[in-house]
Amino acid sequence: MESHIIKQGLLLMCSVIFCYCIQHITADNKIGCTYTYNVLVDPNFPLNASSIEANSTTVWCFTNNINDTYLIFQSIELGLATLTFADDFKPRNLTGYQASFVYVMSSKTFNVTLKTNDSAILQIDASYRTDSCQLKLKGDTANLQGPYLQTTNNKRIKCHFNYTASSEFLRALLSFSYINILSGEITILNEEGQVLADYKDKEMANKVLPDSLSNSSSILMMVELPSIFAGRETFQVVFTSVSVDCNKEIVLTNGTHTLSSPDYPNVYPNNADCHWIIKAPKGMALEVLLLDLKLADDFDHVSLLDGGSKMSPVIATWGNETKGNIDNLFLTTQEMLWLRFVSDESHVSTGFEVTVTVLSKPRRLVTNSGHLTSEGSLTTYQISVDPGKKVILTPSYHSTFLPISKVTVYDGFLISDSILGTYISTMPFYDVSSSSNRLMIISENFSPHNSFSASYIGKLPQNIAMETLRSSSGGVSLNPTFVNSTYTWYIIPPPNRPEGSFMELKISKICLHGNSHVTIHRSLSDQGNKVFTFTSQNSGHMIPAIRIPQGGDNVGIRIVYTVDVNNSLAVDEIIGQMAEFEALYHLSTECVVNGNVEPQITINSPYYPDQYPVNSRCTYNLETSLNLTFISFTRFKLAPSHYVSFSKVFNGTETPVGKINGSHMIQSDMILDLTPKHKLENSTGNNMLKVLFDATNKGIMSNLTVNSGFSADVQSIDCGGMVTSLKYHLQTLNYPQPVAMTTTCVWIVSLPKMTGPKKDKYHISKLHTPRKNGR
């Protein structure tokens, strides 16, 4: 039987199929019915508000001996009037504005009573049916209340609610305003019958449920409830017609997704109202990073909610007045995020852009100490200790990693916070300390048989002998006041450092007593390579700068200062023995010098004429169009194991031509022949002299021996050479043709010592300088 509808002010007349008589019985008779109906044969429910007088009572009496009766109220606005539903169960009173609803009557007889006062009834749009519980809604927006159950029968009521947007070009959005159902099922489908959501039993017990967005202009809500909810309010729903362009439901399995306002980076339209529902896999969370925000006025805003519904808790609201003063990154506690962008009818701007990333749902640890172990492939822990304390995290060496496993520790609860440490399978562990009372650990790519474990403790800053420095330059200093303590500094370079960069450490003050010592590690771990250990025996002389390469598993510097003095002395004597320690550090790029030797260039070791740093390595690429290069050293003082090498480079081919180290006694000048071995007659391209200065040390250094370095003038010459034989013929370029005015020729004579009466005596046997044109 199809639904029959009556509008305000319209009294439907007798059906041509089912003829019946309306019996009007005055209110003062024993029945009290204004109208009576048998719903099985009467096709109409003439609840006609326009015919109802003020300050009156009207009663509709119904009988139904077989089926349930479904009273369908599309809209109802009673004002101060009261509408009462009564049967053999218990009465229910309604007044004021009511959302659309269905009243399910299982009693064989029931009444509907309308009591009015001086105020007019605004609207009643009602009908009834006996075959099924159905209600169809349409418009820009529609409100729906869960069905009212007036039954004590032990059965389940099934209802279908269908909403259609106000235009085929809009989408249907369903939002729960309220729900409290302990038993039953609600299924939400789109126009094609695809299930958008399905909730059962306690999933609906006083929860905030996510919005459902159809991919078309209609959406269907199927509800099945047991009769135990008779007389109770079950749920409230709001249906809305939303724009197709900027209203989407996005399902993310992993990775990052970018969202932006309509037409970004161009200006957004007026009167925009956009909703995004972003869903992550079960057990995961979502992180939102704000990349750009430019709104036109205070009304335009972006809202983030922690869940999939507009009733979810608000994470953040970004408006024009908050620009420059807002956090730009947030982490949900749910698998879903509800994001809304709204603009008004006035001014516009370029809007916003965010990224949404799938993360594991954080496990909160709110204790001052504890232990944690990763669980599964992806785990997030957020540790919070007492305010004013810092978190000290100590990884366990019993952790087992896969080659792809990774653990990242953040100085706070957001992935935009500084990274305190990154642990991988090939890198030793190290302790970290937060700068506040919060710390987050994210473990990735672990199997059920592998895990990361660590312990943590909250300590007051004055009780922490640890400091983490994250900058490209800075300094450390310490004047110990406690006996037999260990102080640790972690110096962490920026993550976007250039390739081939290094950290340079310059110790400006060090004075050690007793067994106190300072150890420098070439990484952040105490298991990392030791660069050098200073003791009271080797720290009394001038200490050169130390360069520590940054790459691979060796990232950062760990400085460990161990105070170990004679504690049998009096306190004032002990403090007098305390050491002082100061050092500066900075990040430097690879030492590369490019230049041209024509007419001349000077190259120096780093910090010349002062000591060059330990682990220095510099490359000098010097171009020249000539084949001969004259090198004159004004100083050459290197440690025995440090060296300078020379190579000639042509068309990418490098050939060594010489090498000298600190143990060599060299003459002040040298000439190198850069002529390519297989240079074709018509080939083009300049020669290049590559000079490499290498003062690196392998492994742990027993000392920090360096020297003042070198300085050399490098010049291209037209002719010349190294004279090393006892008899040698010298001539200028293209002899006997005259030389050009800019011609430079250099010969360096280096002959072996002679013995006997003629020792160390040399002479020129013949000198021919032809003249031309009287010159």
Side-chain angles (χ1 to χ4, degrees):
M1 176 180 180
E2 65 178 10
S3 173
H4 299 274
I5 301 175
I6 180 170
K7 299 294 182 179
Q8 175 182 347
L10 176 64
L11 177 61
L12 296 183
M13 303 305 295
C14 174
S15 167
V16 296
I17 299 176
F18 300 103
C19 291
Y20 64 94
C21 179
I22 297 178
Q23 179 184 6
H24 181 84
I25 304 176
T26 59
D28 57 356
N29 65 23
K30 61 179 180 178
I31 300 177
C33 296
T34 309
Y35 304 96
T36 61
Y37 301 97
N38 184 335
V39 298
L40 296 179
V41 296
D42 297 339
N44 302 315
F45 175 24
L47 204 167
N48 185 357
S50 64
S51 64
I52 305 300
E53 298 178 356
N55 298 310
S56 67
T57 299
T58 304
V59 182
W60 292 263
C61 301
F62 299 87
T63 60
N64 183 352
N65 295 323
I66 301 178
N67 301 325
D68 290 339
T69 303
Y70 307 105
L71 301 180
I72 302 168
F73 288 82
Q74 293 284 141
S75 62
I76 178 171
E77 177 60 72
L78 296 172
L80 297 179
T82 302
L83 190 66
T84 302
F85 299 84
D87 61 359
D88 53 10
F89 181 62
K90 64 178 180 180
R92 175 178 291 273
N93 298 318
L94 300 179
T95 188
Y97 169 78
Q98 299 293 320
S100 302
F101 66 92
V102 174
Y103 218 105
V104 182
M105 291 288 196
S106 294
S107 301
K108 293 182 179 181
T109 61
F110 55 91
N111 301 334
V112 178
T113 302
L114 177 64
K115 290 184 178 182
T116 63
N117 57 9
D118 294 334
S119 301
I121 300 174
L122 300 180
Q123 182 179 359
I124 298 178
D125 185 356
S127 63
Y128 72 80
R129 61 190 307 151
T130 60
D131 57 341
S132 62
C133 176
Q134 295 185 30
L135 175 58
K136 294 183 179 181
L137 301 167
K138 187 176 181 179
D140 291 334
T141 184
N143 296 309
L144 172 68
Q145 294 185 113
Y148 289 111
L149 307 181
Q150 288 290 91
T151 176
T152 56
N153 297 331
N154 187 17
K155 60 182 179 180
R156 299 175 77 88
I157 305 299
K158 297 180 180 180
C159 295
H160 288 190
F161 303 101
N162 184 275
Y163 169 76
T164 302
S166 56
S167 168
E168 62 179 323
F169 302 107
L170 300 176
R171 291 187 180 187
L173 175 68
L174 180 153
S175 303
F176 283 93
S177 301
Y178 166 82
I179 187 166
N180 190 10
I181 301 174
L182 296 175
S183 177
E185 183 175 6
I186 293 180
T187 305
I188 302 168
L189 303 94
N190 62 15
E191 193 172 44
E192 290 77 26
Q194 178 185 3
V195 176
L196 302 177
D198 186 45
Y199 307 109
K200 295 180 181 179
D201 302 331
K202 292 183 179 180
E203 292 179 337
M204 304 177 288
N206 199 21
K207 300 289 183 63
V208 176
L209 296 182
D211 293 358
S212 294
L213 180 64
S214 175
N215 59 355
S216 63
S217 60
S218 66
I219 195 168
L220 173 64
M221 181 179 182
M222 300 168 54
V223 178
E224 182 176 344
L225 298 174
S227 58
I228 60 173
F229 289 102
R232 303 181 189 176
E233 292 188 2
T234 51
F235 65 83
Q236 293 181 356
V237 169
V238 178
F239 296 99
T240 312
S241 300
V242 296
S243 169
V244 176
D245 295 334
C246 64
N247 289 272
K248 297 179 180 179
E249 182 175 293
I250 301 169
V251 179
L252 299 180
T253 56
N254 53 45
T256 299
H257 187 83
T258 301
L259 295 176
S260 59
S261 51
D263 300 327
Y264 180 88
N266 299 317
V267 296
Y268 53 79
N270 286 321
N271 298 313
D273 191 355
C274 302
H275 305 74
W276 290 270
I277 304 169
I278 302 100
K279 297 182 178 180
K282 190 173 183 179
M284 298 296 189
L286 293 164
E287 183 184 74
V288 184
L289 173 62
L290 177 64
L291 302 177
D292 186 28
L293 179 68
K294 293 183 178 67
L295 303 179
D297 52 45
D298 292 345
F299 178 83
D300 300 354
H301 63 275
V302 181
S303 299
L304 300 179
L305 279 72
D306 191 7
S309 164
K310 62 183 179 182
M311 304 303 294
S312 302
V314 176
I315 299 176
T317 299
W318 298 323
N320 183 59
E321 74 280 1
T322 58
K323 64 182 180 181
N325 254 326
I326 57 175
D327 294 328
N328 67 341
L329 196 144
F330 297 91
L331 184 67
T332 68
T333 62
Q334 309 297 321
E335 294 96 348
M336 281 175 279
L337 169 75
W338 194 87
L339 189 152
R340 184 185 185 192
F341 167 66
V342 178
S343 66
D344 61 13
E345 71 281 357
S346 57
H347 305 93
V348 293
S349 187
T350 55
F352 75 94
E353 183 180 33
V354 300
T355 59
V356 182
T357 304
V358 177
L359 296 174
S360 64
K361 187 178 294 185
R363 293 165 171 79
R364 302 293 178 101
L365 302 175
V366 189
T367 58
N368 283 320
S369 64
H371 186 85
L372 59 92
T373 301
S374 61
E375 300 174 5
S377 176
L378 184 64
T379 309
T380 300
Y381 281 101
Q382 292 180 336
I383 301 172
S384 178
V385 297
D386 290 342
K389 292 185 176 181
K390 296 183 178 182
V391 185
I392 308 297
L393 183 75
T394 302
S396 169
Y397 284 97
H398 297 293
S399 300
T400 57
F401 279 55
L402 295 170
I404 58 173
S405 299
K406 179 182 177 182
V407 175
T408 308
V409 184
Y410 295 91
D411 193 14
F413 282 177
L414 304 175
I415 64 172
S416 62
D417 292 327
S418 300
I419 295 178
L420 295 173
T422 301
Y423 308 130
I424 57 178
S425 60
T426 58
M427 185 176 181
F429 301 146
Y430 56 94
D431 296 356
V432 295
S433 171
S434 64
S435 61
S436 69
N437 68 323
R438 291 183 170 187
L439 181 143
M440 181 169 70
I441 305 107
I442 299 179
S443 64
E444 304 173 72
N445 302 321
F446 284 84
S447 75
H449 307 292
N450 303 87
S451 64
F452 168 78
S453 59
S455 60
Y456 68 91
I457 188 170
K459 288 187 176 182
L460 295 171
Q462 60 267 29
N463 297 330
I464 299 175
M466 178 190 301
E467 185 175 1
T468 303
L469 305 167
R470 291 176 188 80
S471 60
S472 57
S473 63
V476 298
S477 62
L478 181 68
N479 188 353
T481 56
F482 297 99
V483 181
N484 299 332
S485 299
T486 298
Y487 300 81
T488 304
W489 293 271
Y490 298 100
I491 301 175
I492 303 176
N496 57 345
R497 58 190 178 277
E499 185 177 354
S501 60
F502 56 85
M503 295 293 291
E504 183 169 299
L505 183 70
K506 177 62 177 177
I507 298 175
S508 56
K509 182 185 295 185
I510 183 170
C511 183
L512 302 173
H513 298 281
N515 295 322
S516 299
H517 55 276
V518 174
T519 302
I520 312 296
H521 294 266
R522 184 189 170 184
S523 78
L524 299 174
S525 171
D526 57 0
Q527 305 296 311
N529 295 330
K530 292 182 181 180
V531 176
F532 193 74
T533 297
F534 295 96
T535 66
S536 58
Q537 285 75 37
N538 63 13
S539 61
H541 52 79
M542 182 176 180
I543 300 175
I546 303 172
R547 289 185 174 178
I548 302 175
Q550 300 294 294
D553 297 337
N554 295 312
V555 176
I557 302 174
R558 178 186 175 112
I559 304 174
V560 181
Y561 182 146
T562 302
V563 181
D564 184 2
V565 298
N566 185 358
N567 56 9
S568 65
L569 301 176
V571 174
D572 56 345
E573 294 178 284
I574 293 174
I575 296 176
Q577 288 192 24
M578 289 300 175
E580 289 187 331
F581 178 76
E582 290 182 358
L584 299 175
Y585 67 90
H586 69 271
L587 179 70
S588 294
T589 57
E590 186 178 8
C591 178
V592 177
V593 177
N594 298 311
N596 197 305
V597 300
E598 298 170 9
Q600 179 176 309
I601 190 173
T602 299
I603 59 175
N604 301 314
S605 56
Y607 300 151
Y608 179 84
D610 296 327
Q611 290 182 327
Y612 55 84
V614 176
N615 285 329
S616 295
R617 183 179 173 88
C618 290
T619 302
Y620 310 83
N621 300 313
L622 310 176
E623 286 195 29
T624 175
S625 61
L626 303 178
N627 292 328
L628 295 176
T629 300
F630 171 49
I631 301 176
S632 177
F633 283 95
T634 57
R635 176 178 292 182
F636 188 87
K637 291 186 177 181
L638 307 182
S641 62
H642 303 160
Y643 65 86
V644 177
S645 65
F646 306 91
S647 301
K648 58 182 180 182
V649 182
F650 185 77
N651 287 341
T653 302
E654 183 176 332
T655 305
V657 294
K659 179 179 178 180
I660 51 178
N661 59 38
S663 61
H664 288 170
M665 297 294 294
I666 67 166
Q667 64 279 354
S668 61
D669 299 334
M670 60 191 304
I671 294 175
L672 300 176
D673 187 352
L674 306 182
T675 305
K677 188 174 183 180
H678 303 291
K679 184 176 182 179
L680 301 177
E681 183 178 351
N682 296 324
S683 63
T684 59
N686 287 350
N687 297 327
M688 187 175 74
L689 173 64
K690 180 179 179 180
V691 182
L692 174 63
F693 168 57
D694 194 322
T696 57
N697 294 271
K698 306 299 185 291
I700 302 176
M701 293 177 286
S702 58
N703 57 67
L704 297 178
T705 302
V706 294
N707 217 313
S708 56
F710 72 89
S711 179
D713 296 325
V714 184
Q715 178 184 5
S716 293
I717 58 175
D718 300 283
C719 56
M722 299 293 295
V723 179
T724 58
S725 60
L726 296 178
K727 188 175 181 179
Y728 190 85
H729 180 77
L730 284 73
Q731 67 179 35
T732 59
L733 191 66
N734 299 324
Y735 180 85
Q737 299 298 322
V739 297
M741 295 297 293
T742 57
T743 299
T744 301
C745 295
V746 178
W747 288 270
I748 300 175
V749 180
S750 179
L751 300 178
K753 288 188 176 183
M754 300 179 63
T755 59
K758 296 182 179 181
K759 72 174 183 178
D760 295 341
K761 292 183 179 180
Y762 307 97
H763 67 277
I764 298 175
S765 61
K766 189 175 184 179
L767 178 62
H768 182 211
T769 55
R771 301 173 65 85
K772 185 175 182 179
N773 297 330
R775 300 178 62 187

